[in-house]
Amino acid sequence: MRLASFDFHLGQKSSSAGTTVCVQLRLFRVAINFIFPRIFVQILEHARFGHLVLGGGQPYIAAIYFAFAGNVAYSFSMPGRKLDLMRANDKVCLHVEHLPSGGGWTSVVVEGQFEEFPDDSFRHDERVHAWSLLRQHSDWWEIGSLKPAELPVLSEPPHVFYGISVGSLSGRSAGRGD
């Protein structure tokens, strides 16, 4: 499918008669394409940042850092609205964008299921696996642990590791068409 798009450039030109505003209009084509499932996985494996879309009475979107491996997007959070919503409704979406330097974009949507990895013997290995993937980046904990309000001091650490198991993947890409 091809869609027309406009590119506007505004500029000013000065002369002895005064200043004239110049408008340049250029028409180009943008190609919107379906992408193959293997591309979805490659994008998810290389991405670190996405937006988690959560249901409930009012939809809620939260920015997250994540690591993708084995059909699961692993992440980390402190208690709050995001965790409350995922615990109440484990059906979530993760939206990830790839913006190549040459222009265009690729968008991937993961429809999946939230799974919490508590610090117990049943989920210990999954929790350690999530941590081992996330800690490969120095700032993995920032979005999940920074809160606008101060949290009370608790006897146990409040942080939560979790995963989004992939149910389905979809996506599109766009680039300049010739």
Side-chain angles (χ1 to χ4, degrees), residues 41-49 66 68 137:
V41 173
Q42 289 174 353
I43 289 169
L44 292 169
E45 287 175 342
H46 290 95
R48 295 191 46 238
F49 178 79
F66 70 94
F68 188 82
H137 302 281

Side-chain angles (χ1 to χ4, degrees), residues 12-134:
Q12 290 186 350
K13 196 161 115 180
S14 295
S15 69
S16 59
T19 302
T20 306
V21 175
C22 299
V23 177
Q24 178 185 18
L25 174 64
R26 183 177 54 178
L27 178 64
F28 62 93
R29 296 198 176 273
V30 174
I32 306 290
N33 302 300
F34 293 98
I35 53 179
F36 295 106
R38 65 178 160 70
I39 303 296
F40 298 146
V41 173
Q42 289 174 353
I43 289 169
L44 292 169
E45 287 175 342
H46 290 95
R48 295 191 46 238
F49 178 79
H51 290 95
L52 200 55
V53 182
L54 310 169
Q58 173 70 38
Y60 182 73
I61 299 174
I64 64 167
Y65 282 141
F66 70 94
F68 188 82
N71 235 20
V72 177
Y74 294 95
S75 193
F76 158 87
S77 185
M78 297 293 277
R81 185 174 180 189
K82 175 175 51 186
L83 276 177
D84 292 344
L85 288 169
M86 289 190 294
R87 287 171 173 159
N89 179 3
D90 65 354
K91 305 275 188 273
V92 300
C93 286
L94 174 63
H95 177 254
V96 176
E97 288 183 345
H98 172 64
L99 304 169
S101 60
W105 52 264
T106 301
S107 176
V108 176
V109 175
V110 175
E111 292 183 41
Q113 185 173 4
F114 162 76
E115 290 183 78
E116 190 170 332
F117 307 133
D119 195 10
D120 60 22
S121 59
F122 179 69
R123 302 300 294 209
H124 176 76
D125 291 346
E126 199 77 28
R127 182 181 176 90
V128 169
H129 181 61
W131 176 73
S132 70
L133 292 171
L134 290 165

Side-chain angles (χ1 to χ4, degrees), residues 63-65 75-79 82-83 138-151 158-160 162:
I64 64 167
Y65 282 141
S75 193
F76 158 87
S77 185
M78 297 293 277
K82 175 175 51 186
L83 276 177
S138 62
D139 58 356
W140 66 271
W141 53 272
E142 286 182 354
I143 291 178
S145 67
L146 299 175
K147 296 289 180 189
E150 199 171 310
L151 294 173
H159 58 276
V160 174
Y162 66 92

